[in-house]
Amino acid sequence: MSNSHASCHRLDKTLFAAGVQCAKRLYQEVHDPESIPAPSVSRQAFAEVGIKLTLMACEGFPRGVRIEEDSHQSAVEKTLELLESGDGGAIFNAAFARDGVEVYCDVVLPGRNNNELDIFEVKSGTKVKPRHVMDIALQMWVIEGHDYTVSSASLLHLDAEFRHDGGEDYPVHKLFKNVDVTKKARKRKRRIPDLIENFQIVLNDKSTLDLPTGTWCINPIPCGYLPQCGKATPTNSLIELPGLTSTQESRLHQLGVETIEQIDPARVELSKPQSRALRAVLDDAWVIEPIIAEEFDTVVFPLCFAAVNFALQVLPQSEQSRPWQHTPYQWSAHILHEDGKLEHREYLVKGAKDPRTEFVASLLDCIDDVGTVITWSKRLEPCLRKIMEDLPKLKEEAKALLHMDPLALNTLVREGVYHSDFQGSFELGAVHSALTGKPRPKPKAKNINDDEDARAAFEKLRNSRTRTGTRTELSEQLSQYCAARSTEILEIYQALKARVT
């Protein structure tokens, strides 16, 4: 590629990733940066952890210099100066630029031979993902525009098998796993020039804003612009088709199909959930398969409608916990008796201790006198299995909870229920609103509207610096939020039961 892009739109790793996902997203982020949706609470927290992890990973390199210049150009000059000095030490936050593309590299290590470099990218996940490899491929392309050769490219990510000892320190050599992605990145590097050229074209074409929504809007992660872009999409757009794949989407567009009701199942193979969605849209009515009535006929009263809240900690904190482990810390249960009597039970861990022991004991006590346990999803099962592996002292109690074999309404709805009001979503709120015809039961907690808010509130609750009054208020809000979720599960069951009776 020539230097013609030097006067074009500046690109960095974030903008490049935006362009790979969606041209419209890239256009808006470049031309109207103030419109960029604010990151969610959890994404902000993940970003902060990512910065911390990068600093921790750098500790694994005994000798290094961090680039801390104010401008990218100054950072590039400082990076090249250090490389040319022949010092041989690692460079952290190294900067490079090529044809208007600016990148920072977490760690750059001079190789054994002149002009050879080894690069390391730190990611907070527990496995290598395609977008990570593309990120490294971009760095490789930019670096090799400086007459350097990347001899090896590695991804440092959290080791999913690492178990924390409960202390304040983390052994870097055990916490991170080093994966060589040189071959994969070099293969993707071939695409970089064409991608950048295409990005410059779409950035100079205002009609980019007219592009439709599609599977790319939620892959690899949901785009923050989706709610805004979705307002311009037609009713029953293809993106609402359950489990729509990019291959199906491409085939449907080739056939001129833009909405679900235009689909001809004789020309496009559909899965069972997709066929169910098509029937529901065409008939503008509920499609409820016999499996719903069959499952409900097997329930035993009293019914326990249980909602569970989980803490997600990228860095493990409790003894014998792992990276990215979902730890249950709260439950709410509405108990429905056969005579219609309804009672409520709940639990929320107190203090900053490991919640797993008390959680297991309290939930086991709750279900001791009930018949069938009904949850929304099956998220609790893998958590309990992890608890059995990591805490042998809780093995029997966790095993007893696994034997409760709860009826997961989310799985049941996916297998046998659809209405166009779902709009392609099987989330608790969407299903509840569609089935009951009323808004979600709002918790009284003004600051907790979803699971992300609940996790943030829980972390604040556990923080020793949080005031006693604030801690009491947070506990009340979390209890109200979790109770509202178990109420939703109860009302979904009742709505479905009424339709199949």
Side-chain angles (χ1 to χ4, degrees):
M1 180 176 287
S2 68
N3 291 329
S4 61
H5 284 156
S7 60
C8 294
H9 298 283
R10 180 193 67 83
L11 296 173
D12 57 22
K13 292 202 295 184
T14 301
L15 292 172
F16 182 85
V20 170
Q21 178 172 11
C22 174
K24 188 192 294 189
R25 175 187 164 194
L26 172 64
Y27 188 96
Q28 292 177 101
E29 290 193 6
V30 169
H31 291 285
D32 189 12
E34 294 184 359
S35 72
I36 299 176
S40 65
V41 174
S42 63
R43 294 207 69 80
Q44 283 181 309
F46 293 157
E48 292 171 2
V49 173
I51 294 172
K52 180 178 180 178
L53 287 173
T54 300
L55 294 174
M56 290 172 61
C58 289
E59 295 174 4
F61 297 84
R63 190 165 60 91
V65 177
R66 176 166 294 279
I67 303 295
E68 297 179 336
E69 311 305 302
D70 293 335
S71 69
H72 189 271
Q73 179 58 38
S74 298
V76 171
E77 293 171 0
K78 182 65 175 178
T79 299
L80 296 178
E81 177 187 324
L82 289 171
L83 288 173
E84 291 168 5
S85 71
D87 178 71
I91 303 175
F92 308 133
N93 204 37
F96 299 89
R98 178 182 183 182
D99 294 349
V101 181
E102 303 173 352
V103 299
Y104 285 97
C105 306
D106 290 336
V107 182
V108 169
L109 194 64
R112 295 180 179 178
N113 301 318
N114 291 335
N115 296 332
E116 286 190 354
L117 303 177
D118 298 326
I119 62 175
F120 300 83
E121 181 72 8
V122 183
K123 296 298 181 183
S124 61
T126 57
K127 58 184 177 181
V128 177
K129 297 181 180 179
R131 65 178 184 272
H132 299 158
V133 178
M134 185 60 82
D135 183 348
I136 293 178
L138 177 66
Q139 295 177 42
M140 183 182 287
W141 178 81
V142 174
I143 289 173
E144 294 186 343
H146 286 269
D147 295 327
Y148 286 99
T149 298
V150 176
S151 55
S152 72
S154 300
L155 187 74
L156 297 174
H157 66 70
L158 294 174
D159 188 342
E161 296 306 312
F162 170 78
R163 298 191 188 189
H164 190 38
D165 62 8
E168 296 183 359
D169 298 324
Y170 297 87
V172 175
H173 64 288
K174 293 182 179 180
L175 178 63
F176 290 97
K177 193 171 184 178
N178 188 343
V179 181
D180 188 321
V181 295
T182 310
K183 291 183 179 179
K184 291 182 179 180
R186 192 160 292 287
K187 184 176 181 180
R188 285 167 175 74
K189 172 178 172 279
R190 302 170 193 160
R191 297 178 52 201
I192 301 296
D194 289 341
L195 284 170
I196 293 174
E197 183 174 1
N198 181 62
F199 294 163
Q200 295 294 347
I201 292 173
V202 300
L203 283 171
N204 288 303
D205 185 354
K206 196 170 183 178
S207 67
T208 299
L209 293 174
D210 298 328
L211 291 172
T213 57
T215 52
W216 53 86
C217 298
I218 54 176
N219 185 37
I221 58 175
C223 174
Y225 288 103
L226 183 55
Q228 173 184 326
C229 296
K231 294 177 181 178
T233 60
T235 303
N236 300 322
S237 65
L238 288 180
I239 197 174
E240 295 179 8
L241 188 67
L244 178 66
T245 67
S246 57
T247 301
Q248 283 181 314
E249 184 178 39
S250 176
R251 171 62 176 159
L252 289 167
H253 284 312
Q254 290 174 3
L255 295 173
V257 175
E258 301 296 332
T259 61
I260 293 176
E261 58 262 42
Q262 295 174 338
I263 297 175
D264 180 356
R267 304 184 69 183
V268 179
E269 185 176 353
L270 300 176
S271 66
K272 289 183 179 180
Q274 291 173 340
S275 297
R276 194 177 301 122
L278 176 60
R279 285 161 50 201
V281 169
L282 291 176
D283 297 340
D284 191 25
W286 286 99
V287 174
I288 301 181
E289 307 289 358
I291 187 177
I292 305 300
E294 293 169 4
E295 287 288 346
F296 284 179
D297 284 343
T298 66
V299 301
V300 177
F301 284 89
L303 304 181
C304 174
F305 298 89
V308 178
N309 278 346
F310 301 85
L312 175 59
Q313 296 171 340
V314 179
L315 268 174
Q317 297 179 14
S318 303
E319 184 178 359
Q320 292 300 304
S321 61
R322 316 181 194 209
W324 287 95
Q325 186 163 311
H326 285 87
T327 302
Y329 65 88
Q330 179 184 24
W331 56 260
S332 169
H334 279 86
I335 314 298
L336 179 64
H337 295 266
E338 197 161 10
D339 61 3
K341 177 186 174 183
L342 187 66
E343 59 176 303
H344 180 240
R345 304 170 187 173
E346 63 181 349
Y347 164 80
L348 172 63
V349 66
K350 300 294 190 296
K353 58 192 171 187
D354 184 345
R356 291 174 289 182
T357 299
E358 283 190 7
F359 176 91
V360 169
S362 63
L363 185 56
L364 194 58
D365 183 62
C366 172
I367 67 170
D368 183 57
D369 60 347
V370 303
T372 301
V373 177
I374 300 177
T375 62
W376 177 242
S377 70
K378 292 184 176 181
R379 287 180 59 190
L380 182 59
E381 181 179 337
C383 289
L384 292 173
R385 295 194 181 282
K386 279 287 192 296
I387 289 174
M388 290 175 61
E389 294 176 17
D390 299 339
L391 300 175
K393 64 181 181 180
L394 296 178
K395 185 174 182 179
E396 294 306 315
E397 291 87 345
K399 186 183 295 186
L401 284 176
L402 286 170
H403 287 163
M404 70 183 176
D405 192 23
L407 175 62
L409 281 184
N410 178 268
T411 301
L412 192 59
V413 168
R414 287 177 180 272
E415 291 178 351
V417 181
Y418 200 83
H419 191 277
S420 58
D421 289 346
F422 282 9
Q423 296 182 320
S425 173
F426 290 95
E427 294 297 322
L428 178 60
V431 174
H432 176 269
S433 295
L435 273 169
T436 64
K438 59 183 181 181
R440 302 186 71 173
K442 284 284 186 181
K444 297 178 182 178
K446 60 181 179 180
N447 296 321
I448 303 180
N449 297 306
D450 53 33
D451 290 348
E452 286 189 8
D453 291 343
R455 283 195 290 266
F458 177 64
E459 291 301 325
K460 189 173 182 180
L461 177 66
R462 288 165 59 88
N463 192 322
S464 60
R465 291 174 292 182
T466 302
R467 294 181 179 181
T468 302
T470 302
R471 193 174 289 114
T472 299
E473 183 179 353
L474 289 171
S475 295
E476 293 175 353
Q477 291 178 351
L478 282 167
S479 293
Q480 293 162 359
Y481 174 76
C482 201
R485 300 291 76 82
S486 57
T487 297
E488 283 183 293
I489 299 170
L490 165 65
E491 292 181 350
I492 288 175
Y493 167 81
Q494 291 174 325
L496 282 174
K497 182 69 174 177
R499 290 181 181 273
V500 299
T501 299

